[in-house]
Amino acid sequence: MNTQAGPLRLEGEREILSHSLWLATARPAAPWPALAGEAACDVAIVGGGYTGLSAALHLAERGISATVLESRSIGWGASGRNGGQVLPGLKEDPDGLEKLFGRELGQRMTRLAGGAPDAVFALIGKHGIECDPVRQGWLQPAHTPQTLALSARRVAQWQARGAPVQSLSREAMAARLGTDAYLGGMLDLRAGSVQPLDYARGLASAAARLGASIHEHTPVQGWRRQAGRFLLDTPNGRLQAGQILLCTNAYTPPWAGALHRSVVPVYSVQVATDPLPEPVRERVLPGRQVVSDMRRLLVYYRYDPHGRLLMGGRGAYGEGGIRRQMAWLRARAMRLFGHHLGKVAWQYQWGGYVAMTQDHFPHVHRLEQGVHAALGYNGRGVAMATELGRLLAQAAAGAHPDEMDFPFSEIRTLPLFALHRPMVGLAIAWNGLLDRLE
């Protein structure tokens, strides 16, 4: 394992985002060659994150040849930079899903999203993926009477469906967190955590062992049809395929047209301490749960396997905004836990884009005959991207959309997409103001 403390740079990223904890502590990466010359497969997969790698793995298990084309390196995007929290559910609770999508489909979506952590940890066990899996549950603390009431309704809905969730009093939440800053909230035992970059690399290795082809540093420049097949052009080669899966999420390139304009890339940034002394860890998150609160601009936190405390949250665009958000996260940690932490060094700071959608749901699309896509995980991509990658594999294998446990939808481009940066900035400022007022 590489545990060097110096800054490790994600190629193509600004220096302020280069001190990645996950990159510094990941296991050695398998080398995947760039595509060179002519190649052919049943299914071409554009993007080497969780969605594409899960699709490749599930296709390989079916004996369908799949080739992953990643423009950078495996897990370079959000899959290698996120907080590593494996959370169940969607932004909408089960009753809301049934109201929006109908009882039958809503129930299927609830089962898929609620069981998504099971799917992740099952894949890890089945394929021996070394990614430091921990499954001690998810704490979602509430900071106002309104969010506490919402938490109680959420717990009741999941309990009615047999999920291992429970409400916690203020005292019980404080004992699990190490701070009395919240009024109570939810404990969901389905959740856990992984080393996210190792998980992505492990999915790639598992898919390759089953026969999938993996190519890094192979940006797709577009595709065209020829004699009933697709031809995907890359700088040094060309891939012929019967079908295409687009799995590029927040890093969807402009050549993807409407798909590129259907999500807003928003920075998520994180900071992490040096390993904390054991007496501190016995007081702050002693149960090793993952945490994300219920603020509009939520904060999430957890430990890594070496006892480093990680804090994450939404960031602004531009180096100044990113630096301010990182400073705010460090200050937030001290407000929550400073009486336990004392003087602490913050060694790591990094981030990257997550893909946000207007309705806060992930989207699955059939762009044309033989071309499918899934994207827009709104910060919950570890579990849902894994599962929607599996659904894309089903679609490529011939399953009808009506058979799926998640709806296929038409692409809807975001209005005023060209102005998304200033609009996101205004939304962040407004929601931050509301959070402070509460």
Side-chain angles (χ1 to χ4, degrees):
M1 178 183 294
N2 178 7
T3 57
Q4 62 177 309
L8 295 178
R9 189 168 179 81
L10 292 162
E11 76 260 36
E13 284 295 327
R14 62 183 77 213
E15 180 66 28
I16 187 63
L17 296 175
S18 66
H19 296 65
S20 167
L21 170 64
W22 306 133
L23 191 61
T25 62
R27 293 158 176 84
W32 306 111
L35 179 67
E38 302 284 337
C41 64
D42 295 325
V43 182
I45 299 171
V46 183
Y50 299 144
T51 309
L53 296 169
S54 175
L57 176 57
H58 286 95
L59 286 167
E61 287 181 328
R62 292 170 174 261
I64 298 172
S65 65
T67 297
V68 176
L69 303 178
E70 165 56 43
S71 65
R72 302 285 187 137
S73 55
I74 293 300
W76 184 87
S79 295
R81 312 184 197 203
N82 66 84
Q85 298 195 4
V86 187
L87 303 183
L90 297 164
K91 298 293 185 180
E92 190 73 40
D93 291 326
D95 287 356
L97 290 177
E98 292 185 23
K99 182 177 180 179
L100 287 169
F101 296 96
R103 181 177 178 82
E104 196 270 337
L105 179 56
Q107 289 178 345
R108 287 158 53 196
M109 293 172 68
T110 295
R111 286 194 296 269
L112 181 143
D118 290 335
V120 169
F121 290 107
L123 281 179
I124 290 169
K126 179 179 180 179
H127 297 284
I129 297 174
E130 295 184 84
C131 60
D132 305 315
V134 176
R135 201 172 190 186
Q136 297 286 21
W138 165 34
L139 294 168
Q140 190 182 45
H143 62 293
T144 65
Q146 292 78 14
T147 54
L148 188 63
L150 173 60
S151 177
R153 294 193 296 271
R154 179 168 295 152
V155 167
Q157 291 179 42
W158 281 114
Q159 286 181 340
R161 291 159 175 86
V165 301
Q166 64 184 89
S167 290
L168 298 179
S169 67
R170 183 170 196 160
E171 295 74 20
M173 182 65 77
R176 285 168 171 80
L177 291 178
T179 178
D180 60 1
Y182 299 97
L183 303 182
M186 179 182 73
L187 170 63
D188 189 327
L189 295 176
R190 295 171 293 179
S193 64
V194 294
Q195 210 283 20
L197 182 55
D198 276 338
Y199 177 54
R201 291 174 173 176
L203 287 175
S205 295
R209 285 195 297 269
L210 293 176
S213 297
I214 312 290
H215 295 285
E216 295 181 318
H217 306 290
T218 305
V220 173
Q221 300 166 326
W223 75 76
R224 61 189 185 279
R225 284 185 179 270
Q226 186 177 90
R229 302 274 287 177
F230 292 100
L231 297 179
L232 293 87
D233 296 312
T234 73
N236 298 303
R238 185 170 63 182
L239 179 65
Q240 182 187 120
Q243 297 188 64
I244 298 174
L245 301 180
L246 295 177
C247 306
T248 45
N249 203 34
Y251 295 85
T252 299
W255 58 252
L259 190 69
H260 167 71
R261 300 189 301 275
S262 70
V263 295
V264 172
V266 176
Y267 269 122
S268 181
V269 298
Q270 296 160 73
V271 296
T273 67
D274 281 345
L276 299 178
E278 186 60 35
V280 175
R281 285 182 275 158
E282 290 175 356
R283 293 176 175 85
V284 177
L285 293 181
R288 303 302 187 265
Q289 291 90 3
V290 300
V291 186
S292 60
D293 66 23
M294 299 182 70
R295 295 177 183 275
R296 293 173 180 85
L297 297 180
L298 64 83
V299 177
Y300 55 92
Y301 39 101
R302 55 166 284 202
Y303 284 115
D304 85 337
H306 305 285
R308 300 179 183 90
L309 179 64
L310 177 155
M311 301 286 294
R314 295 287 178 265
Y317 300 106
E319 184 164 327
I322 293 170
R323 288 188 182 277
R324 285 191 294 273
Q325 180 64 6
M326 289 174 169
W328 185 89
L329 288 170
R330 291 189 287 267
R332 179 66 181 164
M334 298 309 295
R335 285 196 295 273
L336 290 171
F337 308 117
H339 55 299
H340 296 310
L341 295 179
K343 292 184 178 180
V344 62
W346 295 86
Q347 184 175 1
Y348 296 97
Q349 56 184 27
W350 72 102
Y353 284 130
V354 296
M356 308 296 289
T357 59
Q358 193 169 23
D359 60 7
H360 304 294
F361 286 107
H363 294 163
V364 183
H365 305 297
R366 178 180 178 273
L367 281 71
E368 59 179 272
Q369 182 66 38
V371 182
H372 295 86
L375 75 174
Y377 301 108
N378 296 276
R380 291 197 180 192
V382 181
M384 282 305 297
T386 300
E387 277 292 80
L388 293 192
R390 178 180 63 83
L391 261 64
L392 288 182
Q394 291 180 355
H400 192 275
D402 291 345
E403 302 173 40
M404 304 293 187
D405 292 332
F406 203 88
F408 282 54
S409 61
E410 296 294 324
I411 297 177
R412 292 185 176 88
T413 59
L414 294 164
L416 303 176
F417 175 81
L419 300 176
H420 73 269
R421 288 199 173 207
M423 292 176 70
V424 168
L426 287 172
I428 289 175
W430 175 247
N431 284 310
L433 174 61
L434 293 177
D435 283 336
R436 289 192 295 274
L437 291 174
E438 290 179 343

